[in-house]
Amino acid sequence: MAVTTNIHVEGGDVTFERVQDCTAIAEHTQALHKEGRHGSNDMRHAASFPMVIVEKYLNDKGISFQEFMAEAVHVKSMLADPALSAFRVWRGQV
């Protein structure tokens, strides 16, 4: 689960790309789902998103981590994204 950082320089622009094989995390969340280990009615374990996926979301949306945490719409957007369904533990509506 090591994270690799690639640096890209194009003209005067520098971008950082963080890469991680998230297969083990997806497999773990799927195992939790199949076992029914998604919390209680009071506190659901909805998903386990690797930080590299959160960082990609931040970069794609052009927002800071503080904005991400302050506005529930961002977490709901990630939870509703079919491309990220492998990281969902509880599949109910949030």
Side-chain angles (χ1 to χ4, degrees), residues 21-64:
D21 180 357
C22 299
T23 304
I25 299 167
E27 289 172 350
H28 178 69
T29 58
Q30 292 308 296
L32 291 174
H33 170 73
K34 288 177 185 169
E35 294 170 12
R37 297 181 60 196
H38 38 68
S40 67
N41 288 338
D42 295 329
M43 181 68 75
R44 293 284 186 198
H45 182 179
S48 290
F49 294 118
M51 196 60 199
V52 294
I53 291 177
V54 174
E55 289 174 353
K56 182 177 181 336
Y57 180 90
L58 299 177
N59 290 332
D60 290 349
K61 298 295 182 183
I63 62 171
S64 68

Side-chain angles (χ1 to χ4, degrees), residues 6 15 17 27-28 31 36 38 49 56 59 63 65 72 74-75 77-78 80 86 92 94:
N6 299 320
T15 56
E17 173 191 30
E27 289 172 350
H28 178 69
H38 38 68
F49 294 118
K56 182 177 181 336
N59 290 332
I63 62 171
F65 185 70
H74 298 298
V75 173
S77 176
M78 288 185 69
V94 178

